Amino acid sequence: MSTASPSPALEVKGLSVEFPTRRGILTALSDVSLTIERGEILGVVGESGAGKSMTGMAVLGLLEPPGRVSSGEIRIAGKRTDNLSDDEMESVRGRMVGAIFQDPLTSLNPLFSVGQQLVETIRLHSDRNRTEARVHAVNLLKQVGIPGAEERIDHHPHQFSGGMRQRVVIALALAGNPQLIIADEPTTALDVSIQAQITTLLRRLCREQGAGVMLVTHDMGVIAETADRVAVMYAGRVIEVGAVEDVLARPKHPYTRGLMGSIPALGARVERLTQIDGAMPRLNAVPPGCAFNPRCPEAGSRCLQVRPTLMPEGQGAVACLLHDGGVA
Amino acid sequence: MLAFLVKRIGNAVLVMLTVAFFAFLIFRFLGDPVEMMVNESATQSDRDELRGRLGLNDGFLVQYVRFVTNAAQGEFGLSWRNQQSVIGLIAERFPATFELVIIATFLSLVIGIPLGVFTAIGRGRWWAEGLQFSSIVGVSLPSFFVGIILILTFSVTLGWLPGYGRGDVMRIGWWSTGLLTASGRAAVVLPALSLSLFQITLVMRLVRAEMLETLRADFIKFARARGVKRRPLWFRHALKNCLMPVVTLTAMQVGNLIAFALVTETVFQWPGMGMLFMQAVTFVDIPVMAAYLCIVSFIFVTLNTLVDIAYAVIDPRLRNA
Ligand SMILES: Nc1ncnc2c1ncn2[C@@H]1O[C@H](COP(=O)(O)OP(=O)(O)OP(=O)(O)O)[C@@H](O)[C@H]1O
Ligand code: SF4
Ligand SMILES: [Mg+2]
């Protein structure tokens, strides 16, 4: 089926996203580069507002107007998608890239049964007829671990618990056999006891289907258990990427070090990073030089002038002048 | 679902009994039926005899029960004005009003809903904003003014459509319909349009607001993410979530339309209940007024009940309530 080495599930190169506003242009993402191989899970972490969701939405082609990709390239399974028309993008979503959002309570249309929503999605992305699509829908529900799938398929979303609903959402995201899944905080809204089940399920299914996953989360425990590699974002930039073991054990960027230092225990949230003083700059007030310089304990004079770019470093990459010519 | 139906219908019956009680009070205690029915020369014993025959000496409750039983069978007595049976008078006029209101409602939905959807998805474009603006004008124009403008334009100047009357009607049992003849259909266009203009703008603005709200919902974002195309996204996923308030508004407004029909019927010389009621008020024709009250309330209550049932059909979450 596939050729010698398949292209990565996702390749983002130098992606910038802008929001033209009355008071000038806001740059929400600048020069973001990421790669996710097939069957690989890339964790994406960073403070609230760092641009994690924005990256996912840009890949899905669902930026809210007037937001737009101003430069860079997005390739899903080798196909360039950032320059597609709305019509073309409609047939990429669901089929090449699926999505799972934070809140399963609001992700499903309350007025249609889960079967109707599954059959609709399946038929959008394959030439199955209604009966075949329904059979496939039942199979998907079984795959995501919904007991009594034959019966449950005709139930409406409000008849499912939060965890079960998120399973339905996963089934919907997988219905078109996409090569890439964007999972934006898929467990944040769920009961702690269910979170692990959902991430385990997600991990198993993506391995089985050979889909790459971009897993946005605030939960370092989830990253440690689920992800293969991790990307750290700050103020619309990727500041460090690497294998999970490396980044967790030997963070290179001062911000990542702060992040890791702020984890009291695995499984805890990092929404409030008390260890790092100050707050992330607003998009219209990013300082010159390194965006992290006002908060960086190691900042030097060069950090105020030179903007570090993501440079390969060991097995990963880091955007910090400490690793690129020094800070003095 | 069955328990739900029984409950709703039980409520409706209770409300109707209350309305009938007030109609009965008007009927029984506003003016003296005997005085209105006998002629000048009648003796006191004639009057007493009539009073007995009409059952006016019976107990209050007995009379109320009799009134309700009669009303339920459509028996509202004789008009004080011309001694014809009240229900006959109403039956003669009701179809005209009913058809006018139904056509007006239909127009408001088939014109108002698509306009609402298009102004929502075209927000910011000149044509959508233009429509939105004209709808404000539509809301603020008085109904009789719209009627007169329509008559002047399409009837007097262009001569395309009749500006008064109902055209030829056909009888189906006691029902007289204008919808089966060409002249009847032509005649209903202008009054229905005039009556529905306000309603169209109302539906359009409601659908627009609801659509804008729904299009921001997470499930719309998720539907797009799983590849649903724009057209089914708007007309299947989003619009269905907007229909509930539209159903409510429409059903509630039908009552208003019947009331507004009074004006439209006068402007267009439309032989409906509105005109009958106007005459009844002028002549203090109490039985006709009581019957009008009962019948209009009956329509209101029936519609409300249908709305509740329609809710349950559209939204599965309400079925167990
Ligand atoms: N429509 C918009 N116009 C302008 N700026 C926006 C818009 N939407 C988001 N932003 C900005 O883009 C930045 C990135 O937001 P994003 O939602 O990607 O953050 P995030 O990393 O996902 O945060 P969280 O962890 O809270 O989900 C934020 O600073 C936000 O204020
Ligand atoms: S570049 Fe300078 S300011 Fe930025 S993280 Fe590195 S040391 Fe800190
Ligand atoms: Mg987010």
Side-chain angles (χ1 to χ4, degrees):
Chain A
M1 247 174 54
S2 62
T3 47
S5 78
S7 37
L10 175 68
E11 244 184 315
V12 176
K13 275 192 202 146
L15 178 70
S16 294
V17 166
E18 291 179 350
F19 282 83
T21 66
R22 251 169 276 158
R23 289 206 232 103
I25 292 176
L26 279 185
T27 307
L29 295 181
S30 49
D31 201 20
V32 167
S33 297
L34 294 170
T35 304
I36 305 178
E37 299 297 336
R38 309 263 173 139
E40 181 185 61
I41 298 180
L42 174 76
V44 178
V45 294
E47 270 166 291
S48 192
K52 307 180 294 290
S53 301
M54 191 71 69
T55 309
M57 291 314 253
V59 171
L60 286 163
L62 289 179
L63 288 175
E64 270 174 49
R68 58 157 204 267
V69 172
S70 55
S71 64
E73 275 181 34
I74 299 171
R75 277 171 209 279
I76 301 173
K79 180 183 164 78
R80 185 149 176 205
T81 58
D82 58 280
N83 52 5
L84 296 182
S85 69
D86 287 353
D87 284 332
E88 292 167 320
M89 203 59 209
E90 274 176 354
S91 48
V92 167
R93 281 193 292 268
R95 187 176 314 199
M96 300 184 70
V97 51
I100 301 164
F101 296 132
Q102 176 169 343
D103 192 352
L105 297 181
T106 55
S107 287
L108 301 169
N109 191 330
L111 302 188
F112 293 93
S113 72
V114 304
Q116 286 172 314
Q117 301 185 51
L118 274 164
V119 166
E120 174 187 41
T121 316
I122 292 164
R123 296 196 64 199
L124 272 169
H125 304 301
S126 68
D127 45 18
R128 291 184 175 89
N129 65 28
R130 201 164 281 280
T131 331
E132 293 163 345
R134 196 182 151 88
V135 172
H136 187 54
V138 172
N139 284 337
L140 280 171
L141 289 180
K142 283 181 184 159
Q143 265 184 50
V144 296
I146 294 195
E150 282 91 352
E151 225 179 276
R152 297 293 265 161
I153 187 169
D154 291 317
H155 289 184
H156 283 77
H158 73 278
Q159 292 163 297
F160 290 80
S161 67
M164 284 297 152
R165 261 187 249 192
Q166 196 64 307
R167 287 172 192 264
V168 172
V169 169
I170 292 175
L172 278 163
L174 295 174
N177 272 317
Q179 291 94 334
L180 175 68
I181 303 273
I182 309 286
D184 194 346
E185 307 194 34
T187 57
T188 307
L190 298 178
D191 228 57
V192 186
S193 58
I194 299 165
Q195 292 181 353
Q197 293 172 18
I198 295 291
T199 39
T200 313
L201 173 73
L202 193 61
R203 184 185 164 98
R204 174 171 66 75
L205 291 175
C206 294
R207 290 275 143 83
E208 281 170 17
Q209 279 201 8
V213 181
M214 177 173 155
L215 177 65
V216 175
T217 176
H218 282 277
D219 190 331
M220 282 299 166
V222 169
I223 294 286
E225 286 160 23
T226 319
D228 303 298
R229 288 189 312 129
V230 58
V232 184
M233 291 191 73
Y234 186 81
R237 295 157 177 82
V238 175
I239 50 117
E240 181 162 3
V241 195
V244 168
E245 318 81 63
D246 287 348
V247 176
L248 291 189
R250 292 175 295 281
K252 299 190 182 77
H253 195 283
Y255 175 68
T256 319
R257 258 177 251 154
L259 265 189
M260 299 311 151
S262 71
I263 315 169
L266 283 190
R269 305 264 171 103
V270 286
E271 245 143 332
R272 287 273 166 267
L273 296 170
T274 40
Q275 267 79 351
I276 309 176
D277 290 334
M280 199 171 62
R282 284 218 304 263
L283 292 179
N284 53 9
V286 178
C290 176
F292 187 55
N293 69 37
R295 300 166 76 188
C296 181
E298 319 201 24
S301 58
R302 226 180 129 227
C303 302
L304 303 179
Q305 286 137 30
V306 181
R307 174 148 301 178
T309 52
L310 199 61
M311 305 288 277
E313 176 78 25
Q315 298 297 313
V318 60
C320 170
L321 298 177
L322 286 172
H323 303 270
D324 186 14
V327 295
Chain B
M1 191 73 189
L2 188 70
F4 172 81
L5 280 180
V6 169
K7 208 163 113 190
R8 303 319 301 172
I9 293 171
N11 280 350
V13 170
L14 213 66
V15 172
M16 275 318 296
L17 283 177
T18 316
V19 170
F21 181 72
F22 286 107
F24 168 69
L25 288 184
I26 294 174
F27 178 74
R28 181 61 192 81
F29 299 106
L30 224 61
D32 184 354
V34 173
E35 283 308 318
M36 297 300 294
M37 287 170 84
V38 297
N39 55 33
E40 303 287 299
S41 58
T43 63
Q44 188 57 41
S45 64
D46 286 344
R47 290 164 196 241
D48 291 344
E49 195 258 348
L50 180 60
R51 189 169 293 274
R53 199 148 47 82
L54 289 177
L56 296 180
N57 297 326
D58 296 340
F60 181 83
L61 202 65
V62 176
Q63 290 193 45
Y64 170 59
V65 170
R66 185 160 54 226
F67 177 83
V68 170
T69 325
N70 286 340
Q73 293 162 3
E75 188 54 61
F76 289 97
L78 297 182
S79 158
W80 290 355
R81 186 162 68 95
N82 53 16
Q83 304 293 311
Q84 288 179 347
S85 102
V86 169
I87 196 66
L89 284 172
I90 287 188
E92 201 177 288
R93 303 299 196 91
F94 177 74
T97 299
F98 184 79
E99 288 184 354
L100 178 63
V101 166
I102 289 302
I103 299 287
T105 305
F106 176 75
L107 285 180
S108 72
L109 293 179
V110 296
I111 301 177
I113 291 177
L115 281 183
V117 173
F118 286 120
T119 48
I121 62 193
R123 187 164 76 143
R125 315 265 173 84
W126 62 268
W127 51 269
E129 297 305 317
L131 265 173
Q132 174 72 0
F133 178 76
S134 12
S135 77
I136 299 172
V137 179
V139 167
S140 46
L141 285 180
S143 167
F144 73 89
F145 181 72
V146 173
I148 290 168
I149 295 288
L150 285 176
I151 293 176
L152 282 179
T153 315
F154 294 100
S155 187
V156 177
T157 312
L158 295 170
W160 289 353
L161 293 162
Y164 62 88
R166 228 189 141 192
D168 298 325
V169 295
M170 266 173 73
R171 293 209 153 261
I172 301 172
W174 63 272
W175 192 273
S176 72
T177 177
L179 301 180
L180 296 178
T181 66
S183 74
R185 282 193 294 265
V188 79
V189 173
L190 290 187
L193 207 58
S194 153
L195 184 57
S196 67
L197 189 71
F198 179 78
Q199 182 80 357
I200 289 174
T201 56
L202 223 55
V203 169
M204 167 186 149
R205 296 163 66 80
L206 179 69
V207 169
R208 177 180 184 271
E210 290 288 325
M211 279 291 285
L212 287 177
E213 173 95 27
T214 308
L215 286 175
R216 276 195 296 270
D218 279 357
F219 69 82
I220 290 293
K221 193 168 74 168
F222 184 64
R224 294 186 72 191
R226 61 192 161 89
V228 176
K229 310 248 185 289
R230 271 158 295 172
R231 222 156 267 280
L233 191 81
W234 295 330
F235 289 99
R236 205 168 111 87
H237 287 276
L239 185 56
K240 194 173 178 190
N241 278 275
C242 301
L243 285 185
M244 201 95 84
V246 175
V247 169
T248 318
L249 178 82
T250 304
M252 301 300 161
Q253 283 293 114
V254 167
N256 284 352
L257 284 184
I258 291 176
F260 272 122
L262 216 81
V263 178
T264 310
E265 287 180 5
T266 313
V267 173
F268 286 90
Q269 300 281 299
W270 189 262
M273 288 202 301
M275 269 165 70
L276 181 71
F277 181 72
M278 294 289 272
Q279 291 159 356
V281 170
T282 331
F283 287 87
V284 201
D285 196 344
I286 300 292
V288 172
M289 288 164 71
Y292 184 85
L293 176 63
C294 286
I295 286 172
V296 171
S297 317
F298 178 73
I299 297 171
F300 263 95
V301 170
T302 309
L303 285 169
N304 268 324
T305 310
L306 289 179
V307 170
D308 286 348
I309 294 171
Y311 265 29
V313 172
I314 294 181
D315 193 334
R317 283 170 297 187
L318 299 176
R319 259 172 230 162
N320 307 325

